[in-house]
Amino acid sequence: MRRPSLAEARRGSVLAEYVKGSGVHAIVVYPWRRDLRLCLGRREPKGRWARPHLEHGGQLVKSGGWWYAQHTTSTLRRFTIQHVLYHEVGHHVDRLSQRSRSRAKTHRTEEFADQFAILCRKTGTHVINRLERATSGP
């Protein structure tokens, strides 16, 4: 398992990763920056980089020449469960099915993981609703 570089950690550009080794499969979810921003790069994000944030209530903001996805605690919870977690589970399913093994197929594996996250969105909504009911009190 790799540790995010200092630059990645400062920008908050690493969300999670699926790792495998010595017979162990794991999903590592990294902490977010305190300001709830995720760095998306210097160019305005479009398509698969912007869509998940916008769909889960995040906003795109430009600051200091960098583009960020800005979230609230609520939108971050939804984004993390409905997109990040299920995206990484999609990588696990993809690898177990031995659909793809080479780095040359990165685009296809990312697309598979994105589609898996979309298919699991309803389950994610159910999980979030239960969490919100459990934490809201009687």
Side-chain angles (χ1 to χ4, degrees):
M1 179 166 62
R2 78 176 185 87
R3 184 179 184 155
S5 72
L6 184 57
E8 289 173 326
R10 282 188 179 147
R11 285 194 312 266
S13 58
V14 179
L15 297 174
E17 63 183 324
Y18 168 77
V19 293
K20 165 183 135 167
S22 301
V24 175
H25 300 256
I27 294 172
V28 180
V29 180
Y30 293 103
W32 277 62
R33 295 167 32 139
R34 291 182 193 269
D35 62 5
L36 303 180
R37 283 183 168 187
L38 173 69
C39 183
L40 300 175
R42 291 199 179 271
R43 287 190 235 152
E44 183 177 3
K46 295 186 177 11
R48 72 178 292 259
W49 296 105
R51 189 178 311 113
H53 297 284
L54 298 173
E55 287 175 350
H56 295 93
Q59 297 179 338
L60 301 180
V61 294
K62 188 174 185 180
S63 176
W66 292 88
W67 282 91
Y68 295 90
Q70 178 70 58
H71 286 272
T72 64
T73 303
S74 176
T75 64
L76 179 58
R77 179 182 297 127
R78 288 189 178 279
F79 174 74
T80 301
I81 293 172
Q82 290 181 318
H83 182 74
V84 176
L85 182 60
Y86 284 119
H87 175 93
E88 297 305 326
V89 171
H91 283 304
H92 177 69
V93 170
D94 191 33
R95 293 226 174 88
L96 285 180
S97 69
Q98 297 189 16
R99 246 180 30 86
S100 55
R101 290 272 184 202
S102 83
R103 290 241 184 239
K105 298 178 183 174
T106 300
H107 177 73
R108 281 196 349 211
T109 61
E110 288 301 317
E111 183 63 30
F112 181 87
D114 284 344
Q115 292 301 315
F116 188 86
I118 290 168
L119 288 172
C120 294
R121 189 168 289 163
K122 187 173 182 180
T123 302
T125 300
H126 176 71
V127 169
I128 291 165
N129 290 340
R130 291 202 51 170
L131 283 171
E132 288 175 350
R133 277 195 305 269
T135 58
S136 66

